[in-house]
Amino acid sequence: MKRSLFGMLLCLVATQVSAHGTVVHQNNVEAQQHLQTTKKTVPALPFDLKLGGSFELTDHNGNQRTEANPDGHMQLLFFGYANCASICTVALPLMGDVVDDLAGRGLNVTPVMITIDPKRDTLETIGTDLQKHHPDFVGLTGNPDALQNAYDLYSIEHKVVFTDPQ
């Protein structure tokens, strides 16, 4: 059975949150410090997982954005569509719920979606579509080379399986 990248990321975030039980951090600095001290004690995954790296894309406000969150928050990352009638209608609201739950535990996390459909997820539409799911959502798009770089960093494969005739 194939696990989705989104599911794995949710599990990784949940592991980091539950790894320290009932500790509630007062701010992101405290949470990051705790994360740094516990990283050595988190068991290694049973498979080689190399995710992430440097990318530069354009956010839904037209600003350049890298993999680093400008506010210093952890990020919950999803590759998909800002507006679709399939898995995104489940995944995006779930991401918003996770962000709210983590905020209630003292961890500020930013939900980020990198489009796999830049023709439909344009600067004019991506932000509006994502804001329906959570006010803190950041939508990222870019030119084909910049997007392919991000896809490669996270081992994202995608292809057009049908074209909507509308």
Side-chain angles (χ1 to χ4, degrees), residues 39-55:
K39 275 186 180 177
K40 296 176 185 131
T41 62
V42 174
L45 295 172
F47 50 89
D48 188 23
L49 182 64
K50 295 180 182 173
L51 292 177
S54 298
F55 63 79

Side-chain angles (χ1 to χ4, degrees), residues 27-140:
N27 55 49
N28 279 336
V29 173
E30 185 181 309
Q32 289 295 333
Q33 288 171 341
H34 184 254
L35 182 61
Q36 292 302 320
T37 61
T38 59
K39 275 186 180 177
K40 296 176 185 131
T41 62
V42 174
L45 295 172
F47 50 89
D48 188 23
L49 182 64
K50 295 180 182 173
L51 292 177
S54 298
F55 63 79
E56 185 171 329
L57 295 169
T58 305
D59 73 16
H60 60 270
N61 294 315
N63 300 313
Q64 293 302 297
R65 185 167 174 136
T66 68
E67 70 286 351
N69 186 299
D71 298 321
H73 298 170
M74 290 184 277
Q75 301 179 87
L76 185 57
L77 185 59
F78 178 73
F79 288 81
Y81 308 90
N83 186 3
C84 73
S86 189
I87 188 66
C88 303
T89 60
V90 174
L92 297 174
L94 179 60
M95 286 178 68
D97 291 345
V98 168
V99 167
D100 290 341
D101 183 59
L102 291 172
R105 298 171 186 242
L107 293 172
N108 292 321
V109 177
T110 301
V112 178
M113 191 218 65
I114 297 177
T115 186
I116 60 169
D117 188 2
K119 290 181 182 176
R120 287 192 323 162
D121 291 335
T122 65
L123 289 179
E124 294 77 29
T125 64
I126 194 170
T128 304
D129 290 338
L130 290 173
Q131 297 300 301
K132 295 174 190 173
H133 302 290
H134 196 278
D136 294 338
F137 245 112
V138 174
L140 298 178

